[in-house]
PDB file of all heavy atoms in Angstrom:
ATOM      1  N   THR A 285     112.877 100.471 104.581  1.00 98.00           N
ATOM      2  CA  THR A 285     114.234 100.902 105.014  1.00 98.00           C
ATOM      3  C   THR A 285     114.074 101.706 106.263  1.00 98.00           C
ATOM      4  O   THR A 285     113.284 102.685 106.280  1.00 98.00           O
ATOM      5  CB  THR A 285     114.673 101.812 103.862  1.00 98.00           C
ATOM      6  OG1 THR A 285     114.768 101.047 102.679  1.00 98.00           O
ATOM      7  CG2 THR A 285     116.126 102.332 104.180  1.00 98.00           C
ATOM      8  N   PRO A 286     114.828 101.295 107.341  1.00 97.00           N
ATOM      9  CA  PRO A 286     114.787 102.200 108.483  1.00 97.00           C
ATOM     10  C   PRO A 286     115.032 103.686 108.212  1.00 97.00           C
ATOM     11  O   PRO A 286     116.045 103.957 107.492  1.00 97.00           O
ATOM     12  CB  PRO A 286     115.817 101.585 109.454  1.00 97.00           C
ATOM     13  CG  PRO A 286     115.908 100.093 108.991  1.00 97.00           C
ATOM     14  CD  PRO A 286     115.711 100.242 107.540  1.00 97.00           C
ATOM     15  N   SER A 287     114.271 104.524 108.715  1.00 98.00           N
ATOM     16  CA  SER A 287     114.433 105.955 108.461  1.00 98.00           C
ATOM     17  C   SER A 287     115.483 106.501 109.432  1.00 98.00           C
ATOM     18  O   SER A 287     115.244 107.344 110.301  1.00 98.00           O
ATOM     19  CB  SER A 287     113.148 106.750 108.738  1.00 98.00           C
ATOM     20  OG  SER A 287     112.058 106.176 107.905  1.00 98.00           O
ATOM     21  N   VAL A 288     116.589 105.878 109.426  1.00 97.00           N
ATOM     22  CA  VAL A 288     117.685 106.274 110.353  1.00 97.00           C
ATOM     23  C   VAL A 288     118.861 106.705 109.577  1.00 97.00           C
ATOM     24  O   VAL A 288     119.191 106.084 108.573  1.00 97.00           O
ATOM     25  CB  VAL A 288     118.112 105.010 111.216  1.00 97.00           C
ATOM     26  CG1 VAL A 288     119.278 105.353 112.089  1.00 97.00           C
ATOM     27  CG2 VAL A 288     116.930 104.445 111.963  1.00 97.00           C
ATOM     28  N   VAL A 289     119.512 107.863 109.954  1.00 98.00           N
ATOM     29  CA  VAL A 289     120.559 108.410 109.086  1.00 98.00           C
ATOM     30  C   VAL A 289     121.799 108.551 109.969  1.00 98.00           C
ATOM     31  O   VAL A 289     121.834 109.075 111.049  1.00 98.00           O
ATOM     32  CB  VAL A 289     120.131 109.904 108.611  1.00 98.00           C
ATOM     33  CG1 VAL A 289     121.289 110.406 107.655  1.00 98.00           C
ATOM     34  CG2 VAL A 289     118.836 109.749 107.825  1.00 98.00           C
ATOM     35  N   HIS A 290     122.942 108.008 109.410  1.00 97.00           N
ATOM     36  CA  HIS A 290     124.298 108.169 110.035  1.00 97.00           C
ATOM     37  C   HIS A 290     125.093 108.985 109.274  1.00 97.00           C
ATOM     38  O   HIS A 290     125.519 108.694 108.125  1.00 97.00           O
ATOM     39  CB  HIS A 290     124.867 106.741 110.236  1.00 97.00           C
ATOM     40  CG  HIS A 290     126.241 106.656 110.691  1.00 97.00           C
ATOM     41  ND1 HIS A 290     127.053 105.615 110.428  1.00 97.00           N
ATOM     42  CD2 HIS A 290     126.949 107.669 111.368  1.00 97.00           C
ATOM     43  CE1 HIS A 290     128.252 105.960 111.144  1.00 97.00           C
ATOM     44  NE2 HIS A 290     128.234 107.081 111.647  1.00 97.00           N
ATOM     45  N   PHE A 291     125.473 110.158 109.808  1.00 97.00           N
ATOM     46  CA  PHE A 291     126.324 111.125 109.132  1.00 97.00           C
ATOM     47  C   PHE A 291     127.750 110.772 109.606  1.00 97.00           C
ATOM     48  O   PHE A 291     128.266 111.395 110.575  1.00 97.00           O
ATOM     49  CB  PHE A 291     125.998 112.524 109.556  1.00 97.00           C
ATOM     50  CG  PHE A 291     124.537 113.025 109.091  1.00 97.00           C
ATOM     51  CD1 PHE A 291     123.454 112.799 109.815  1.00 97.00           C
ATOM     52  CD2 PHE A 291     124.480 113.655 107.878  1.00 97.00           C
ATOM     53  CE1 PHE A 291     122.176 113.172 109.419  1.00 97.00           C
ATOM     54  CE2 PHE A 291     123.299 114.044 107.406  1.00 97.00           C
ATOM     55  CZ  PHE A 291     122.157 113.871 108.176  1.00 97.00           C
ATOM     56  N   GLU A 292     128.440 109.930 108.782  1.00 96.00           N
ATOM     57  CA  GLU A 292     129.814 109.652 109.108  1.00 96.00           C
ATOM     58  C   GLU A 292     130.711 110.786 108.905  1.00 96.00           C
ATOM     59  O   GLU A 292     131.552 111.064 109.631  1.00 96.00           O
ATOM     60  CB  GLU A 292     130.297 108.476 108.301  1.00 96.00           C
ATOM     61  CG  GLU A 292     131.573 107.874 108.782  1.00 96.00           C
ATOM     62  CD  GLU A 292     132.029 106.721 108.000  1.00 96.00           C
ATOM     63  OE1 GLU A 292     131.188 105.992 107.304  1.00 96.00           O
ATOM     64  OE2 GLU A 292     133.204 106.366 108.042  1.00 96.00           O
ATOM     65  N   SER A 293     130.479 111.523 107.767  1.00 94.00           N
ATOM     66  CA  SER A 293     131.123 112.829 107.516  1.00 94.00           C
ATOM     67  C   SER A 293     130.112 113.629 106.717  1.00 94.00           C
ATOM     68  O   SER A 293     129.106 113.050 106.295  1.00 94.00           O
ATOM     69  CB  SER A 293     132.451 112.611 106.786  1.00 94.00           C
ATOM     70  OG  SER A 293     132.048 112.282 105.368  1.00 94.00           O
ATOM     71  N   PRO A 294     130.372 114.936 106.389  1.00 92.00           N
ATOM     72  CA  PRO A 294     129.387 115.677 105.673  1.00 92.00           C
ATOM     73  C   PRO A 294     129.141 115.013 104.330  1.00 92.00           C
ATOM     74  O   PRO A 294     128.055 115.246 103.729  1.00 92.00           O
ATOM     75  CB  PRO A 294     129.992 117.088 105.533  1.00 92.00           C
ATOM     76  CG  PRO A 294     130.862 117.143 106.736  1.00 92.00           C
ATOM     77  CD  PRO A 294     131.420 115.847 106.930  1.00 92.00           C
ATOM     78  N   GLU A 295     130.104 114.318 103.699  1.00 92.00           N
ATOM     79  CA  GLU A 295     129.874 113.680 102.574  1.00 92.00           C
ATOM     80  C   GLU A 295     129.546 112.175 102.423  1.00 92.00           C
ATOM     81  O   GLU A 295     129.032 111.800 101.474  1.00 92.00           O
ATOM     82  CB  GLU A 295     131.238 113.849 101.566  1.00 92.00           C
ATOM     83  CG  GLU A 295     131.572 115.181 101.200  1.00 92.00           C
ATOM     84  CD  GLU A 295     132.250 116.043 102.370  1.00 92.00           C
ATOM     85  OE1 GLU A 295     132.909 115.297 103.052  1.00 92.00           O
ATOM     86  OE2 GLU A 295     132.167 117.261 102.474  1.00 92.00           O
ATOM     87  N   GLU A 296     129.767 111.531 103.529  1.00 95.00           N
ATOM     88  CA  GLU A 296     129.525 110.154 103.579  1.00 95.00           C
ATOM     89  C   GLU A 296     128.381 109.818 104.574  1.00 95.00           C
ATOM     90  O   GLU A 296     128.503 110.012 105.747  1.00 95.00           O
ATOM     91  CB  GLU A 296     130.754 109.467 104.188  1.00 95.00           C
ATOM     92  CG  GLU A 296     131.502 108.600 103.115  1.00 95.00           C
ATOM     93  CD  GLU A 296     132.707 108.046 103.721  1.00 95.00           C
ATOM     94  OE1 GLU A 296     133.610 108.950 104.108  1.00 95.00           O
ATOM     95  OE2 GLU A 296     132.838 106.863 103.899  1.00 95.00           O
ATOM     96  N   ILE A 297     127.249 109.441 104.030  1.00 97.00           N
ATOM     97  CA  ILE A 297     126.138 109.321 104.689  1.00 97.00           C
ATOM     98  C   ILE A 297     125.538 107.831 104.605  1.00 97.00           C
ATOM     99  O   ILE A 297     125.413 107.371 103.457  1.00 97.00           O
ATOM    100  CB  ILE A 297     125.142 110.435 104.457  1.00 97.00           C
ATOM    101  CG1 ILE A 297     125.680 111.719 104.847  1.00 97.00           C
ATOM    102  CG2 ILE A 297     123.628 110.200 105.025  1.00 97.00           C
ATOM    103  CD1 ILE A 297     125.300 112.962 104.238  1.00 97.00           C
ATOM    104  N   HIS A 298     125.042 107.264 105.647  1.00 97.00           N
ATOM    105  CA  HIS A 298     124.527 105.935 105.545  1.00 97.00           C
ATOM    106  C   HIS A 298     123.070 105.869 106.115  1.00 97.00           C
ATOM    107  O   HIS A 298     122.820 106.640 107.120  1.00 97.00           O
ATOM    108  CB  HIS A 298     125.273 104.933 106.400  1.00 97.00           C
ATOM    109  CG  HIS A 298     126.812 105.065 106.204  1.00 97.00           C
ATOM    110  ND1 HIS A 298     127.435 104.598 105.047  1.00 97.00           N
ATOM    111  CD2 HIS A 298     127.811 105.537 106.926  1.00 97.00           C
ATOM    112  CE1 HIS A 298     128.631 104.805 105.103  1.00 97.00           C
ATOM    113  NE2 HIS A 298     129.000 105.368 106.235  1.00 97.00           N
ATOM    114  N   VAL A 299     122.261 105.275 105.408  1.00 98.00           N
ATOM    115  CA  VAL A 299     120.765 105.274 105.703  1.00 98.00           C
ATOM    116  C   VAL A 299     120.334 103.897 105.852  1.00 98.00           C
ATOM    117  O   VAL A 299     120.691 102.999 105.042  1.00 98.00           O
ATOM    118  CB  VAL A 299     119.969 106.074 104.727  1.00 98.00           C
ATOM    119  CG1 VAL A 299     118.467 105.996 105.055  1.00 98.00           C
ATOM    120  CG2 VAL A 299     120.440 107.475 104.617  1.00 98.00           C
ATOM    121  N   GLY A 300     119.448 103.587 106.809  1.00 97.00           N
ATOM    122  CA  GLY A 300     118.788 102.273 106.932  1.00 97.00           C
ATOM    123  C   GLY A 300     119.388 101.366 107.982  1.00 97.00           C
ATOM    124  O   GLY A 300     119.778 101.878 108.953  1.00 97.00           O
ATOM    125  N   GLU A 301     119.377 100.046 107.668  1.00 95.00           N
ATOM    126  CA  GLU A 301     119.748  99.134 108.640  1.00 95.00           C
ATOM    127  C   GLU A 301     121.145  99.319 109.146  1.00 95.00           C
ATOM    128  O   GLU A 301     121.389  99.256 110.414  1.00 95.00           O
ATOM    129  CB  GLU A 301     119.776  97.719 107.831  1.00 95.00           C
ATOM    130  CG  GLU A 301     119.420  96.478 108.736  1.00 95.00           C
ATOM    131  CD  GLU A 301     118.094  96.617 109.430  1.00 95.00           C
ATOM    132  OE1 GLU A 301     117.033  96.860 108.778  1.00 95.00           O
ATOM    133  OE2 GLU A 301     118.124  96.533 110.696  1.00 95.00           O
ATOM    134  N   ALA A 302     122.120  99.693 108.317  1.00 94.00           N
ATOM    135  CA  ALA A 302     123.590  99.957 108.806  1.00 94.00           C
ATOM    136  C   ALA A 302     123.460 101.112 109.688  1.00 94.00           C
ATOM    137  O   ALA A 302     124.169 101.116 110.755  1.00 94.00           O
ATOM    138  CB  ALA A 302     124.352 100.322 107.629  1.00 94.00           C
ATOM    139  N   ALA A 303     122.775 102.096 109.536  1.00 95.00           N
ATOM    140  CA  ALA A 303     122.752 103.327 110.290  1.00 95.00           C
ATOM    141  C   ALA A 303     122.095 102.930 111.677  1.00 95.00           C
ATOM    142  O   ALA A 303     122.458 103.364 112.752  1.00 95.00           O
ATOM    143  CB  ALA A 303     121.969 104.481 109.634  1.00 95.00           C
ATOM    144  N   LYS A 304     121.011 102.056 111.597  1.00 93.00           N
ATOM    145  CA  LYS A 304     120.355 101.671 112.784  1.00 93.00           C
ATOM    146  C   LYS A 304     121.329 100.862 113.765  1.00 93.00           C
ATOM    147  O   LYS A 304     121.238 101.026 114.937  1.00 93.00           O
ATOM    148  CB  LYS A 304     119.186 100.689 112.359  1.00 93.00           C
ATOM    149  CG  LYS A 304     118.086 100.590 113.452  1.00 93.00           C
ATOM    150  CD  LYS A 304     116.871  99.826 112.796  1.00 93.00           C
ATOM    151  CE  LYS A 304     115.911  99.429 113.906  1.00 93.00           C
ATOM    152  NZ  LYS A 304     114.750  98.695 113.445  1.00 93.00           N
ATOM    153  N   ASP A 305     122.064  99.987 113.132  1.00 88.00           N
ATOM    154  CA  ASP A 305     123.068  99.227 113.911  1.00 88.00           C
ATOM    155  C   ASP A 305     124.285 100.137 114.437  1.00 88.00           C
ATOM    156  O   ASP A 305     124.828  99.711 115.402  1.00 88.00           O
ATOM    157  CB  ASP A 305     123.798  98.184 112.956  1.00 88.00           C
ATOM    158  CG  ASP A 305     122.722  97.141 112.612  1.00 88.00           C
ATOM    159  OD1 ASP A 305     121.737  96.948 113.241  1.00 88.00           O
ATOM    160  OD2 ASP A 305     123.043  96.348 111.646  1.00 88.00           O
TER     161      ASP A 305
END
Side-chain angles (χ1 to χ4, degrees):
T285 302
S287 309
V288 181
V289 184
H290 174 198
F291 292 90
E292 190 176 341
S293 73
E295 293 80 31
E296 250 175 298
I297 291 152
H298 313 287
V299 176
E301 211 56 57
K304 200 173 168 181
D305 291 342

